[in-house]
């Protein structure tokens, strides 16, 4: 069923509810004024480059892109853009970046050298890494903008001028959302220190005659203190040597790109958040209606916040080695406001859920209710890329099992698939892609015990060691698989079938059961021999 067919159903999807709100809203929120319907609805998504660009950062892009598709499915003209927040200051040194880069803390990431020497600057390096994969997670390639370049081009000059001219109103708006009021003389525009190059340390002392006067003083992040250089100077804010403060800049972005909707973490939904400050600023100072928010829950890893210091960061390229991008889209699109948790150990369960939705989408199965069936179809459709994936006839767990038993032996895998009724020539490429990805999963991450055939060394009795040595002898001397299989069968018969296999599975995996022993040992001959000879 196509997206166009799905939109005809009475059952709606969260992205369609938001899209309908965007299309049908009539009035500004803070100003008594009608909204002029745009010729094109713009969806904005962005990422700060001051931190690690992990899969959590894709949350905003994936959810925003889903709303963009919903807008198009509802028959209006829409556009999606991605913005790099590359004027943000470097707040801490990520893993892999030399400790000497501490001297750049507080500097805009676009003004810091590339630690690896392969790009123009720090921001460009990490953008390039991110851009290698970001377009693989979206329906169509995203137009990308750089805030640093936009400031240099003067794209924000009209908004800088407006907010500084109405600075008293901007302060009044912000003070409504603060417990400690900003004082007269506060500036919504912040300079880069002309002496040390930091953007976090300059403190504005006054604004007069079109110039912002400042002094460079120490600034404390949560865990780091950045030294100011003490320089005192003045700068023209329309010459590109600084940026708007976030409470003001976000509003300027909405007005500059005529944004109709944007995503933000669920913490921004509370009444005193930066979203509502910017919403009031954009309407009262920039004369543009606030966008419709896409508030969403965040992604945790094994129930904990993703953090480089905790070592639980998952990068997009790592995810793509073990799964298709549709699976991450599926995870994010399931429930918008719910905090989700990703675990490498549960990757097979995620695939099982995805595969069930595929069967419902194609009418092989149904949900418990008509509403659930309709929702499952829409979820599967909106989680697709250009082409909706067909049903893949093997589970991810079975793919992992096949990868461990047969390695890369395509002929044996096809034989096994045919024997179990899981082979489908039409989707052979997808079957083997899944097996390849499951193999990467097995080899690099924690997997459930029931499908884990990782070799484990334990203590064996003298009798058990004798059985293992006999097996080693048979494996080493057999010239082809057919001979080896017969010899294993003969050996098992002499010792006792049940007893023999129990000993061998214990020696290999410390389990009572396992994969077909002869096939597994033959396809992993070197690894199995190395393991068994340790006894």
């Amino acid at each position: 069923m196509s997206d166009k067919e799905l939109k005809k159903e009475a059952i709606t999807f969260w992205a369609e509810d938001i899209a309908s709100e965007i299309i049908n809203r009539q009035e500004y929120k803070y100003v008594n004024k009608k909204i002029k319907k745009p010729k094109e609805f713009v969806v904005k998504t962005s990422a700060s480059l001051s931190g690690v660009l992990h899969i959590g950062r894709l949350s905003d892009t994936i959810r925003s892109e889903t709303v963009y598709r919903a807008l198009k499915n509802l028959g209006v003209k829409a556009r999606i853009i991605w913005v790099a927040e590359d004027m943000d200051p470097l707040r801490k040194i990520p893993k892999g970046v030399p400790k000497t880069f501490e001297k750049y803390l507080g500097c805009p990431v676009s003004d810091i050298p590339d630690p690896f020497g392969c790009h123009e600057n720090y921001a460009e390096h990490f953008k390039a890494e991110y851009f290698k994969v970001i377009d693989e997670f979206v329906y169509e390639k995203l137009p990308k903008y750089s805030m640093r370049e936009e400031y240099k081009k003067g794209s924000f000059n009209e908004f800088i001028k407006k907010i500084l001219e109405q600075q008293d109103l901007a302060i009044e708006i912000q003070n409504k959302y603060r417990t400690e009021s900003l004082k007269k003389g506060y500036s919504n525009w912040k300079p880069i220190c002309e002496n040390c190059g930091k953007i976090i340390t300059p403190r504005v002392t006054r604004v007069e005659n079109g110039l912002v006067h400042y002094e460079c003083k120490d600034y404390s992040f949560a865990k780091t203190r950045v030294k100011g250089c003490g320089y005192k100077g003045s700068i023209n804010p329309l010459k590109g040597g600084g940026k708007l403060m976030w409470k003001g800049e976000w509003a300027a972005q909405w007005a500059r790109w005529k944004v109709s909707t944007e995503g933000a973490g669920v913490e921004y939904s509370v009444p005193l958040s930066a979203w509502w400050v910017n919403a009031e600023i954009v309407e009262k100072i920039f004369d543009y209606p606030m966008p419709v928010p896409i508030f969403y829950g965040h992604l945790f890893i094994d129930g904990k916040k993703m953090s480089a210091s905790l070592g639980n960061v998952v990068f997009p390229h790592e995810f793509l080695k073990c799964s298709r991008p549709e699976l991450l889209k599926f995870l994010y699109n399931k429930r918008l406001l719910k905090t989700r948790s990703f675990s490498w150990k549960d990757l097979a369960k995620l695939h099982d859920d995805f595969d069930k939705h595929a069967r419902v989408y194609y009418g092989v199965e149904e949900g418990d209710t008509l509403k659930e069936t309709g929702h499952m179809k829409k979820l599967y459709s909106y989680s697709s890329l250009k082409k909706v994936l067909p049903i893949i006839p093997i589970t991810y767990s079975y793919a992992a099992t096949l990868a461990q038993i047969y390695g890369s032996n395509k002929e044996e895998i096809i034989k096994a698939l045919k024997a179990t009724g899981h082979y489908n020539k039409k989707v052979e490429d997808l079957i083997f892609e899944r097996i390849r990805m499951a193999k990467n999963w097995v080899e690099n991450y924690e997997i459930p015990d029931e499908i884990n055939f990782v070799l484990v060394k334990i203590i064996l009795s003298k009798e058990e060691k004798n059985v293992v040595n006999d097996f080693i002898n048979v494996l080493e001397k057999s010239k082809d698989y057919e001979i080896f299989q017969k010899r294993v069968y003969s050996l098992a018969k002499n010792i006792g079938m049940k007893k023999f296999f129990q000993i061998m599975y214990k020696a290999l995996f410390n389990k009572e059961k396992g994969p077909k022993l002869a096939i597994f040992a033959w396809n992993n001959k070197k690894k199995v021999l190395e393991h068994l000879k340790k006894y």
Side-chain angles (χ1 to χ4, degrees):
M1 189 179 288
S2 69
D3 284 347
K4 286 184 178 179
E5 288 173 317
L6 281 171
K7 76 175 184 178
K8 292 177 183 176
E9 294 188 12
I11 298 153
T12 60
F13 188 64
W14 65 260
E16 293 170 352
D17 293 336
I18 292 173
S20 294
E21 183 183 349
I22 294 164
I23 294 166
N24 297 317
R25 66 189 183 136
Q26 302 292 319
E27 297 180 344
Y28 283 57
K29 180 177 175 65
Y30 298 97
V31 178
N32 185 19
K33 187 175 178 179
K34 295 288 185 186
I35 292 174
K36 186 180 176 183
K37 190 167 286 191
K39 292 178 182 177
E40 180 180 64
F41 293 92
V42 177
V43 181
K44 174 181 168 273
T45 177
S46 65
S48 171
L49 302 183
S50 62
V52 177
L53 291 167
H54 46 61
I55 60 170
R57 299 292 188 89
L58 284 167
S59 165
D60 191 273
T61 298
I62 287 171
R63 265 85 174 244
S64 297
E65 187 243 19
T66 302
V67 173
Y68 161 69
R69 285 177 65 179
L71 283 164
K72 292 183 78 174
N73 286 341
L74 292 176
V76 298
K77 192 175 181 184
R79 182 165 71 98
I80 185 170
I81 61 170
W82 187 90
V83 177
E85 305 289 353
D86 50 7
M87 281 286 281
D88 288 354
L90 182 66
R91 296 173 181 274
K92 57 184 178 181
I93 307 302
K95 189 177 179 181
V97 172
K99 198 168 175 59
T100 54
F101 269 65
E102 284 181 350
K103 64 186 176 185
Y104 296 115
L105 287 170
C107 293
V109 291
S110 50
D111 291 0
I112 300 170
D114 178 5
F116 310 99
C118 49
H119 291 85
E120 188 180 339
N121 56 53
Y122 182 101
E124 288 301 318
H125 177 89
F126 288 99
K127 268 197 290 188
E129 290 295 308
Y130 198 52
F131 289 168
K132 283 178 186 176
V133 292
I134 190 173
D135 285 325
E136 295 189 46
F137 287 90
V138 290
Y139 188 75
E140 58 191 58
K141 199 167 183 179
L142 301 173
K144 302 175 181 75
Y145 293 87
S146 154
M147 283 302 291
R148 185 52 158 156
E149 291 305 311
E150 292 296 312
Y151 276 117
K152 283 180 178 178
K153 288 190 298 185
S155 301
F156 283 87
N157 280 358
E158 64 172 294
F159 306 109
I160 294 169
K161 196 166 181 292
K162 279 181 182 178
I163 203 166
L164 292 182
E165 285 173 348
Q166 299 182 71
Q167 189 63 81
D168 287 348
L169 176 56
I171 291 171
E172 181 187 319
I173 291 169
Q174 290 172 89
N175 282 341
K176 286 166 60 178
Y177 299 85
R178 295 174 61 91
T179 51
E180 189 177 328
S181 296
L182 297 170
K183 295 183 172 57
K184 195 173 176 67
Y186 173 85
S187 170
N188 274 91
W189 185 86
K190 193 165 194 178
I192 297 170
C193 179
E194 296 158 289
N195 183 55
C196 68
K198 295 185 175 79
I199 196 169
I200 202 68
T201 48
R203 307 276 180 88
V204 173
T205 55
R206 69 185 190 279
V207 181
E208 60 183 22
N209 301 323
L211 294 178
V212 174
H213 297 261
Y214 67 93
E215 183 178 352
C216 189
K217 293 184 175 182
D218 293 0
Y219 181 89
S220 293
F221 289 120
K223 296 181 180 178
T224 317
R225 188 169 179 81
V226 180
K227 295 289 288 180
C229 68
Y231 180 80
K232 295 179 181 180
S234 61
I235 191 168
N236 185 337
L238 303 183
K239 298 296 184 183
K243 72 185 286 292
L244 286 164
M245 301 290 279
W246 183 234
K247 290 174 182 176
E249 184 181 64
W250 207 357
Q253 290 177 344
W254 294 338
R256 183 260 182 274
W257 280 295
K258 308 299 179 194
V259 176
S260 299
T261 186
E262 181 170 4
V266 69
E267 68 275 13
Y268 283 101
S269 65
V270 299
L272 301 180
S273 81
W275 176 279
W276 306 111
V277 178
N278 283 283
E280 197 163 340
I281 288 172
V282 77
E283 293 195 350
K284 290 183 175 178
I285 295 177
F286 299 142
D287 190 25
Y288 183 79
M290 63 159 271
V292 173
I294 309 167
F295 293 131
Y296 52 77
H298 292 290
L299 183 74
F300 282 56
I301 303 298
D302 293 310
K304 295 179 181 177
K305 187 178 179 181
M306 214 178 318
S307 165
S309 58
L310 290 175
N312 67 345
V313 170
V314 178
F315 293 98
H317 69 88
E318 292 176 317
F319 186 88
L320 290 176
K321 284 181 181 177
C322 299
S323 186
R324 288 187 60 90
E326 289 94 338
L327 273 292
L328 189 62
K329 289 168 71 71
F330 174 76
L331 179 65
Y332 278 134
N333 281 334
K334 285 186 80 174
R335 286 193 188 130
L336 186 61
L337 289 170
K338 184 178 179 181
T339 297
R340 310 215 67 84
S341 184
F342 173 80
S343 171
W344 285 114
K345 195 170 184 178
D346 292 335
L347 193 56
K349 289 181 183 176
L350 178 62
H351 279 79
D352 288 345
D353 195 10
F354 182 78
D355 291 346
K356 182 177 181 178
H357 280 68
R359 293 190 295 274
V360 170
Y361 179 84
Y362 285 105
V364 176
E365 289 182 22
E366 289 185 355
D368 292 337
T369 63
L370 182 63
K371 185 177 179 180
E372 185 183 56
T373 298
H375 185 271
M376 289 174 78
K377 287 180 178 182
K378 285 179 181 284
L379 173 56
Y380 191 75
S381 174
Y382 277 112
S383 300
S384 70
L385 297 173
K386 279 289 184 186
K387 291 183 180 178
V388 181
L389 279 178
I391 295 170
I392 300 173
I394 63 166
T395 66
Y396 194 78
S397 296
Y398 186 34
T401 301
L402 291 170
Q404 292 177 88
I405 297 171
Y406 300 105
S408 301
N409 191 326
K410 188 173 181 178
E411 189 179 324
E412 288 296 331
I413 290 173
I414 290 175
K415 216 186 280 185
L417 288 168
K418 285 180 175 177
T420 56
H422 292 94
Y423 182 69
N424 183 340
K425 178 70 177 173
K426 290 180 181 178
V427 292
E428 184 180 292
D429 288 347
L430 288 171
I431 290 172
F432 278 93
E433 177 190 62
R434 180 167 281 193
I435 292 169
R436 173 178 58 77
M437 289 175 168
K439 186 174 186 290
N440 287 331
W441 177 54
V442 166
E443 292 175 350
N444 294 287
Y445 302 102
E446 185 182 5
I447 66 172
D449 289 340
E450 61 268 22
I451 58 169
N452 188 351
F453 300 141
V454 174
L455 302 176
V456 179
K457 188 175 184 297
I458 58 165
I459 296 171
L460 297 179
S461 67
K462 186 176 180 181
E463 181 189 9
E464 289 168 338
K465 286 180 182 178
N466 289 335
V467 173
V468 168
N469 287 330
D470 289 340
F471 184 82
I472 290 171
N473 188 44
V474 166
L475 183 54
E476 283 185 322
K477 290 185 176 178
S478 300
K479 298 251 172 127
D480 62 56
Y481 175 69
E482 296 299 326
I483 292 171
F484 173 63
Q485 190 181 33
K486 286 176 182 176
R487 287 176 176 172
V488 169
Y489 178 77
S490 178
L491 185 60
K493 201 173 177 184
N494 289 338
I495 294 168
M497 287 287 184
K498 187 177 179 181
K499 185 179 180 181
F500 170 77
F501 285 108
Q502 281 179 338
I503 291 170
M504 289 310 304
Y505 288 134
K506 181 181 176 183
L508 288 167
F509 314 115
N510 193 24
K511 294 180 179 181
E512 292 184 359
K513 295 179 180 179
K516 290 185 178 178
L517 182 62
I519 296 172
F520 178 82
W522 191 255
N523 285 316
N524 299 276
K525 193 171 185 177
K526 185 181 176 184
K527 185 169 71 171
V528 168
L529 285 171
E530 284 177 359
H531 175 75
L532 294 179
K533 283 181 178 180
K534 291 175 183 175
Y535 289 112

